[in-house]
Amino acid sequence: MSKRMKWLIVITAFIFVGIVGIPEAYSYLTKRNYESEAVTSDEIPDGHEVATLAGGCFWCMEPPFEKLKGIQGVVSGYTGGEIENPTYEEVSSGKTGHIEAVQVYYDPNVISYEQILEVFWRQINPTDDEGQFVDRGFQYTTAIFYHSEEQKEAAEQSKQELASSERFEQEIVTPIDKAEKFYRAEEYHQDYYKKNEWRYDYYRGNSGRDEFLEETWGDDRQLELPKKQK
């Protein structure tokens, strides 16, 4: 093997590790481990309500909601853990009890909570209680966090309807829990799919998420909901 070929292999390996690596590796290599910040009620847009959902890597949970009409914004963050203002590195270690999640700010006059849940189920594997796709560990599991009794009832009904549909052979294990303090993740995580489009596409394409969703939902994967005008 020529020296040039050896160098090409080495360079390719470095690129693969730096770009294809899972989010934990990216955080570690770039040293971007700033603290998160607690989201307060003052930050919720007037006239909007909040849906807090966990579906594995939060990078993948922003795009499906942000394109929908009636969604003011989607924030990636952490919830359910034991320490305040956790960093991405701490959460991804699986030692803090936090779970990656998103908060969806929606206008109930335009899009309902029930419709948001329909979108949610079409992004995840609700039968996996050990992680989501390539990301393993409790911090990447699924959950619905309700903010009111109305949301709780709607979530329980939606989950039961999904179970009754027999679309999944295994038990639906996604828990429905009361919402706790939510920490906004470091800024470089917000809208990651827009800021780092190439790397996001590469990561998602190799995660196994889309293959699973296509096989599970087929033509029913996409809902006929109004989209935002570009």
Side-chain angles (χ1 to χ4, degrees):
M1 183 183 295
S2 69
K3 181 180 292 187
R4 181 180 179 183
M5 182 61 69
K6 290 180 180 179
W7 274 110
L8 284 174
I9 293 174
V10 171
I11 292 171
T12 300
F14 273 110
I15 293 174
F16 181 84
V17 170
I19 296 177
V20 183
I22 58 178
E24 293 94 325
Y26 177 75
S27 178
Y28 176 78
L29 291 172
T30 57
K31 303 297 183 182
R32 305 180 81 170
N33 298 318
Y34 312 120
E35 287 187 345
S36 56
E37 296 181 356
V39 174
T40 65
S41 58
D42 295 338
E43 298 176 59
I44 301 172
D46 291 340
H48 289 69
E49 296 183 7
V50 184
T52 302
L53 307 164
C57 175
F58 47 30
W59 293 351
C60 298
M61 295 300 292
E62 287 187 337
F65 295 105
E66 287 194 337
K67 66 183 180 181
L68 299 176
K69 191 174 182 180
I71 304 298
Q72 176 67 21
V74 182
V75 175
S76 287
Y78 320 114
T79 191
E82 302 166 354
I83 65 174
E84 295 185 355
N85 306 107
T87 66
Y88 178 71
E89 184 178 41
E90 290 170 334
V91 174
S92 62
S93 73
K95 298 177 181 179
T96 68
H98 290 87
I99 186 172
E100 284 197 11
V102 294
Q103 282 201 331
V104 181
Y105 303 139
Y106 66 99
D107 183 347
N109 295 314
V110 179
I111 185 170
S112 69
Y113 185 66
E114 288 80 3
Q115 288 174 317
I116 287 174
L117 291 177
E118 287 189 66
V119 175
F120 170 69
W121 294 124
R122 286 165 170 77
Q123 313 307 318
I124 67 170
N125 177 0
T127 68
D128 189 348
D129 61 1
E130 297 182 353
Q132 285 292 284
F133 311 107
V134 72
D135 298 307
R136 312 312 298 164
F138 171 78
Q139 64 273 31
Y140 296 113
T141 54
T142 65
I144 298 172
F145 297 95
Y146 61 88
H147 292 263
S148 66
E149 285 302 310
E150 291 75 16
Q151 283 194 354
K152 179 182 180 181
E153 292 175 5
E156 290 176 342
Q157 180 177 344
S158 180
K159 180 178 177 179
Q160 181 57 49
E161 289 175 354
L162 183 64
S164 298
S165 72
E166 299 183 349
R167 186 175 294 275
F168 297 92
E169 294 182 359
Q170 297 174 293
E171 179 186 1
I172 306 300
V173 297
T174 299
I176 299 171
D177 298 320
K178 187 174 182 179
E180 301 181 40
K181 184 177 289 187
F182 183 89
Y183 295 95
R184 177 187 175 95
E186 298 85 336
E187 186 58 34
Y188 71 96
H189 285 300
Q190 309 302 325
D191 286 329
Y192 189 87
Y193 73 101
K194 295 179 182 177
K195 297 174 181 176
N196 298 275
E197 183 177 357
W198 191 85
R199 185 178 186 280
Y200 168 78
D201 288 344
Y202 205 108
Y203 160 73
R204 176 150 186 158
N206 287 276
S207 70
R209 185 183 292 260
D210 288 315
E211 290 86 346
F212 174 85
L213 297 177
E214 285 293 339
E215 181 179 350
T216 301
W217 290 94
D219 294 338
D220 295 329
R221 182 179 176 186
Q222 300 300 326
L223 292 170
E224 295 298 324
L225 294 176
K227 306 292 193 303
K228 293 178 180 176
Q229 292 183 350
K230 295 183 179 181

